[in-house]
Amino acid sequence: MAAKQKILIVDDDVNIAELISLYLTKECFDTEMVHDGESALREFDTYQPNLILLDLMLPGMDGYQVCRKIRAKSNTPIIMLSAKGEIFDKVLGLELGADDYIMKPFDSKELVARVKAVLRRYQPAKTEAVEADIKCVTYPDLVINLSNYSVEYFGKPIEMPPKELELLYFLASSPNQVFTREQLLDHIWGYEYIGDTRTVDVHVKRLREKIKDHASWGIATVWGIGYKFEVR
């Protein structure tokens, strides 16, 4: 029997944390709850979760700080939870490395669906990887391998969250083809994701910070439309 996937729930509202735990336990996840930022960092190291549900408004160290510290050492998926609905808050969370953002109050089915969707993207099925051709795109000084979720840039591994890597692979797999933000949002985040096209811009910005334009290729903005992986 496969081991249960582990979800770390970080929320200072004990009732909400217990409710989320109940939803996820019914879906055969293993859960652990903590209620402040410092405890979240300690529990992350000992519990080693497959995914973190992270509330923004925590006592002491807030969710943004927790996200930043975890991203400094791990690509474990993070879904932020917040009652804040401002675009700025969503963008800031994504820029710090969150993989998704859910507003409170949330529907239990949506929460579970997003958790499953993020986990599917982060952990591609090993059986499929064996049976299918290895999904790898190679350019001068750049190797993007979707089968094992790795990127090499000038011969060195580059750490990046799953959706950044998937976006880079998707663009690089169709060189010089222009994709609208809506198309990218649909292909990478899927129909389960309820977001806005600014999400794509944030992820492209983060990619450009890690992967600088090369003499032979680069991520180009097509003004008024979207993006393409330009091969020169």
Side-chain angles (χ1 to χ4, degrees):
M1 182 181 295
K4 291 183 178 180
Q5 291 183 300
K6 299 185 290 186
I7 312 296
L8 178 60
I9 302 165
V10 187
D11 199 310
D12 63 331
D13 189 318
V14 176
N15 292 329
I16 290 179
E18 290 178 345
L19 190 61
I20 293 172
S21 178
L22 178 63
Y23 294 151
L24 294 174
T25 300
K26 286 182 178 179
E27 296 293 326
C28 296
F29 289 104
D30 184 79
T31 65
E32 191 71 33
M33 294 177 286
V34 293
H35 308 296
D36 62 80
E38 294 287 352
S39 299
L41 294 177
R42 288 195 300 269
E43 196 64 26
F44 174 78
D45 291 331
T46 57
Y47 185 54
Q48 297 185 345
N50 298 101
L51 182 144
I52 305 165
L53 288 169
L54 177 62
D55 185 39
L56 289 182
M57 304 302 291
L58 297 171
M61 183 185 299
D62 64 23
Y64 294 121
Q65 293 172 294
V66 174
C67 181
R68 185 183 293 110
K69 288 181 178 294
I70 289 176
R71 272 293 164 263
K73 59 183 178 181
S74 172
N75 283 331
T76 298
I78 298 173
I79 299 178
M80 286 188 166
L81 307 173
S82 178
K84 293 184 175 183
E86 296 296 327
I87 294 297
F88 170 80
D89 298 305
K90 295 180 182 179
V91 171
L92 178 57
L94 293 169
E95 286 183 333
L96 289 175
D99 295 272
D100 204 346
Y101 190 106
I102 302 178
M103 284 185 55
K104 297 178 181 179
F106 47 77
D107 178 80
S108 61
K109 292 182 179 179
E110 179 188 357
L111 174 71
V112 171
R114 292 202 185 194
V115 166
K116 290 181 177 179
V118 170
L119 286 170
R120 279 198 304 271
R121 291 192 293 266
Y122 187 73
Q123 297 175 329
K126 293 182 180 178
T127 54
E128 292 178 2
V130 171
E131 295 171 0
D133 293 334
I134 294 176
K135 296 181 178 179
C136 185
V137 178
T138 303
Y139 290 96
D141 301 312
L142 179 66
V143 179
I144 312 160
N145 192 324
L146 193 63
S147 296
N148 63 9
Y149 274 62
S150 66
V151 175
E152 285 190 9
Y153 179 53
F154 283 92
K156 296 182 179 180
I158 300 294
E159 296 289 336
M160 60 178 62
K163 284 202 290 297
E164 283 183 32
L165 192 149
E166 290 170 10
L167 177 60
L168 179 62
Y169 178 84
F170 182 76
L171 289 169
S173 297
S174 301
N176 296 322
Q177 182 174 340
V178 179
F179 294 97
T180 67
R181 290 171 175 82
E182 290 79 7
Q183 287 175 320
L184 294 172
L185 196 66
D186 181 62
H187 278 285
I188 306 304
W189 283 264
Y191 71 92
E192 292 170 327
Y193 185 79
I194 303 172
D196 57 67
T197 54
R198 181 71 187 276
T199 300
V200 176
D201 296 335
V202 169
H203 282 73
V204 168
K205 176 185 175 184
R206 281 158 48 182
L207 281 173
R208 284 171 168 162
E209 290 171 351
K210 299 173 183 177
I211 307 290
K212 306 298 183 183
D213 279 0
H214 192 276
S216 303
W217 50 262
I219 301 174
T221 299
V222 182
W223 297 107
I225 301 177
Y227 298 98
K228 67 177 178 178
F229 191 87
E230 186 174 56
V231 177
R232 305 177 181 98

